[in-house]
Amino acid sequence: MIEQLRKIGMSDLEARCYLTLHGEANLSGYEIAKRVSVSRTNVYAALRSLADKGMCRVIEANPVLYNAVPIDQLVRLLKSDFEQSAQILLEELNTPPRDTSSFYNWQGDKALEAAIRRLVSNADQSVIVDIWAEDVHWFEESLLEAERRGAAVTLITIGDSHSRLKNVLTHKRSDEWKDVESRKFSILCDSRSAMIGSFGRRLKLSALETDHPAIIELLKNGFYHDLVMEQIERDFSGELDEKYGEHYKKIIEPYMEILR
């Protein structure tokens, strides 16, 4: 909870003081200091800051008492402030038109997670994610949120994922796949923004974000083939195995050197 309060603008000590007041109203600075085990000087400074931010109320008494602003009121205030600031930024800082497509490189867990959340949260109509089953956790919460707000979300997994999403396509995984060092993934949002990258124990976590039309078209074509093959395999799995072998081995074997 401390971490969530820090994300809305409180310091660590301010968050601890706020939680103390949230649990018990009308406390003095001395009483709060005892509960958080911090010097009164620092606690009084934190309380003044909370009051200045509109996050706690001061009751003029002897001694002075403090009371947390209820969390529902605080959240509404923060939402209102954010929406006003966002509207001003959108009106004043118009995004200049770009003549060429761009490529952005993201590296590391936190940077990649933030980029994934931003892409998915800005998708208005559709999100398509193609990923290995063991990496679904990187995307699932953001995808569930997109699904709740009405975007058409499709998750394509290599291996069974047991995802909570409504629309999941699963590719079977043969024994040969267990030795793969790089587990690729891709995201396509509204057919206008994309990200491709890899997970793997021996690889530094990285991804490429782009709006280049060739990459967008490549991912759309991949999705098209996934949909077609999913339906064909569902309807004719027995006949396909008999004619082409399990996992299409008879087709793939002549090209194994290239595909490794």
Side-chain angles (χ1 to χ4, degrees):
M1 196 60 64
I2 295 287
E3 182 62 28
Q4 299 305 316
L5 291 172
R6 290 178 63 184
K7 287 182 179 180
I8 63 172
M10 295 186 192
S11 68
D12 184 80
L13 180 54
E14 288 169 2
R16 291 165 63 189
C17 291
Y18 180 85
L19 287 175
T20 300
L21 289 169
H22 185 268
E24 186 176 354
N26 301 335
L27 294 178
S28 68
Y30 172 74
E31 291 171 317
I32 297 168
K34 285 199 301 183
R35 285 165 172 75
V36 300
S37 300
V38 176
S39 71
R40 278 184 285 175
T41 301
N42 290 337
V43 166
Y44 279 120
L47 291 170
R48 282 194 299 272
S49 178
L50 285 173
D52 290 342
K53 295 174 181 177
M55 295 175 172
C56 85
R57 294 180 283 214
V58 180
I59 302 171
E60 294 297 338
N62 189 15
V64 173
L65 302 178
Y66 298 89
N67 198 331
V69 171
I71 191 63
D72 59 335
Q73 294 182 24
L74 183 55
V75 168
R76 287 186 180 183
L77 171 65
L78 292 169
K79 282 183 177 180
S80 176
D81 289 346
F82 175 79
E83 288 171 0
Q84 290 179 26
S85 297
Q87 188 60 39
I88 292 171
L89 289 171
L90 289 171
E91 291 173 357
E92 299 295 330
L93 298 177
N94 294 322
T95 303
R98 288 181 300 175
D99 297 329
T100 59
S101 299
S102 301
F103 293 88
Y104 306 99
N105 186 42
W106 299 103
Q107 294 187 358
D109 292 19
K110 290 185 177 180
L112 182 56
E113 184 179 7
I116 289 169
R117 290 175 54 211
R118 173 178 50 78
L119 276 180
V120 176
S121 66
N122 278 278
D124 297 318
Q125 298 177 340
S126 64
V127 183
I128 302 167
V129 172
D130 192 340
I131 192 169
W132 285 56
E134 46 264 70
D135 302 315
V136 168
H137 65 276
W138 279 86
F139 297 81
E140 189 165 31
E141 290 304 322
S142 295
L143 295 176
L144 287 167
E145 176 58 32
E147 198 173 66
R148 283 192 289 269
R149 67 172 186 269
V153 176
T154 302
L155 177 66
I156 304 167
T157 66
I158 300 174
D160 294 322
S161 66
H162 309 292
S163 172
R164 292 172 287 161
L165 291 158
K166 297 175 184 177
N167 192 19
V168 180
L169 305 179
T170 302
H171 291 307
K172 296 177 183 177
R173 196 152 73 189
S174 62
D175 291 339
E176 289 84 356
W177 294 59
K178 65 183 179 182
D179 297 323
V180 174
E181 292 186 1
S182 173
R183 303 189 305 272
K184 63 93 176 174
F185 72 88
S186 65
I187 315 171
L188 179 61
C189 296
D190 290 343
S191 294
R192 67 174 185 235
S193 55
M195 180 183 288
I196 56 175
S198 294
F199 296 101
R201 286 172 296 184
R202 299 180 185 178
L203 296 174
K204 184 174 182 179
L205 190 57
S206 62
L208 182 72
E209 178 187 347
T210 183
D211 58 355
H212 196 288
I215 303 298
I216 300 297
E217 195 62 28
L218 186 67
L219 294 181
K220 287 171 68 177
N221 286 340
F223 179 53
Y224 169 82
H225 289 296
D226 280 333
L227 287 178
V228 172
M229 290 306 301
E230 172 75 12
Q231 189 62 52
I232 290 174
E233 289 177 352
R234 193 180 303 164
D235 295 340
F236 304 103
S237 59
E239 292 93 327
L240 291 171
D241 286 348
E242 183 178 350
K243 185 170 181 60
Y244 302 116
E246 188 179 12
H247 304 302
Y248 306 104
K249 284 185 178 179
K250 292 180 182 178
I251 298 176
I252 296 171
E253 278 177 353
Y255 305 98
M256 284 304 296
E257 289 299 321
I258 301 172
L259 295 172
R260 283 176 184 168

